[in-house]
Amino acid sequence: MSASANAFRATALSLSIALVGGFAVAPRPAAAGAFDDPAEREARWGAIAEAIFKDRKRVDGEGVVGLEAPQRALDAALVPMTLTLSDKTPIKAIYLVIDDNPAPLAAHFEFGPAADPSRIDLRVRVNVYTNVHAVAEGADGTLYETVKFVKASGGCSAPMGMSDEEAMKGIGEMRLKLAQGESGEPQRATLMIRHPNFNGMQMNQVTRDYTPARYIRTISVSSGDAKVFDLSTDISLASNPVIGFSYRPQGEVKVSVLDSADARWDKSFPAPTAHLGD
């Protein structure tokens, strides 16, 4: 595991244990976030931001980082999030924080030379009504922040609708879908990974026991010998993750996935064939 992934793991663990409302202390009721006032939300974000960024200053991210999220989620266990970044400000990493989730730090993307970090799409679990923060880290270390309020509840404890055995079938299988685009332009891709991402809060509907946690910790994507991104994540990532991203093709695409049971899967996909858009 890389140093950055270890740092993410330590931060995520400290957040889930130390913050008021963290799962290791006491899970918040599903409706709790609906009654928080702005001052309470800001205080919670202040504590989270201090744990992640220490004393580093954050600035308004308008024009640099955008966050698209539904105001009211149709399915709290599969909430779509889109992170957008301006091409006018070089960005080396981005954090996605779901403030009132049991483990707030949901994702940390670190971009490499083959990345086109203009847009990232992913799906997450949301446990209660909550603020969601996206914080982009510029190449010079500046932190750019934006926030959205999302109405959703129960996403972290929602069962998958199938047995644990069925959910585990094909674990680690991967697919990569490439969108048609213009030759020489960044390539749009969608990565699909088969993994239940059990978070320890889901109850088996047959046995009535809680399913032990087993979730993806890191996803690394490269093209040729150049890194596209390293993603460190935790229990907030939805089951069977789907991640949309753009990159600058350097050769075949290689994906490596590591989960909390230290199982690892690696797969290579052929380099995209040059083609022109319609």
Side-chain angles (χ1 to χ4, degrees), residues 45 48 51 65 81-82 102 117 123 164 170 178 181 194 221 243 247 275:
W45 170 236
I48 294 170
V65 55
M81 301 270 172
T82 296
R123 302 182 303 187
D164 293 352
L178 301 178
R194 181 79 173 172
V221 179
I243 300 172
Y247 72 103
H275 51 256

Side-chain angles (χ1 to χ4, degrees), residues 21-191:
F23 178 62
V25 179
R28 303 191 78 199
F35 304 104
D36 291 347
D37 62 30
E40 289 176 308
R41 295 191 187 108
E42 189 59 31
R44 180 165 174 80
W45 170 236
I48 294 170
E50 182 179 356
I52 299 172
F53 306 112
K54 310 306 178 186
D55 58 354
R56 297 172 64 189
K57 182 180 178 181
R58 307 180 312 280
V59 301
D60 187 345
E62 184 175 1
V64 176
V65 55
L67 172 60
E68 297 176 24
Q71 183 179 20
R72 184 180 294 275
L74 295 176
D75 185 343
L78 292 168
V79 182
M81 301 270 172
T82 296
L83 306 167
T84 55
L85 296 166
S86 170
D87 59 3
K88 297 179 180 178
T89 303
I91 298 297
K92 65 180 181 181
I94 189 166
Y95 299 78
L96 180 67
V97 182
I98 306 171
D99 293 15
D100 286 279
N101 267 14
L105 184 50
H108 177 210
F109 288 88
E110 293 182 288
F111 302 112
D116 170 45
S118 56
R119 174 173 174 163
I120 295 283
D121 297 293
L122 69 165
R123 302 182 303 187
V124 297
R125 298 177 170 119
V126 176
N127 203 47
V128 299
Y129 287 27
T130 183
N131 277 342
V132 179
H133 285 84
V135 180
E137 183 176 5
D140 63 356
T142 302
L143 297 174
Y144 302 91
E145 173 186 315
T146 192
V147 61
K148 292 286 185 181
F149 184 69
V150 175
K151 295 179 180 179
S153 62
C156 291
S157 58
M160 289 187 64
M162 64 182 74
S163 70
D164 293 352
E165 292 75 17
E166 288 178 298
M168 290 288 289
K169 286 181 179 178
I171 187 171
E173 292 179 358
M174 290 181 256
R175 293 175 56 198
L176 186 73
K177 181 179 179 181
L178 301 178
Q180 188 173 7
E182 295 186 1
S183 180
E185 293 297 315
Q187 174 70 59
R188 188 71 188 161
T190 302
L191 175 64

Side-chain angles (χ1 to χ4, degrees), residues 75-78 125 154-164 167 196 198-199 201-206 208-209 211 239:
D75 185 343
L78 292 168
R125 298 177 170 119
C156 291
S157 58
M160 289 187 64
M162 64 182 74
S163 70
D164 293 352
F198 293 133
N199 60 17
M201 298 173 62
Q202 298 147 316
M203 181 179 288
N204 185 301
Q205 299 303 292
V206 177
R208 309 304 290 175
D209 293 327
T211 301
S239 60

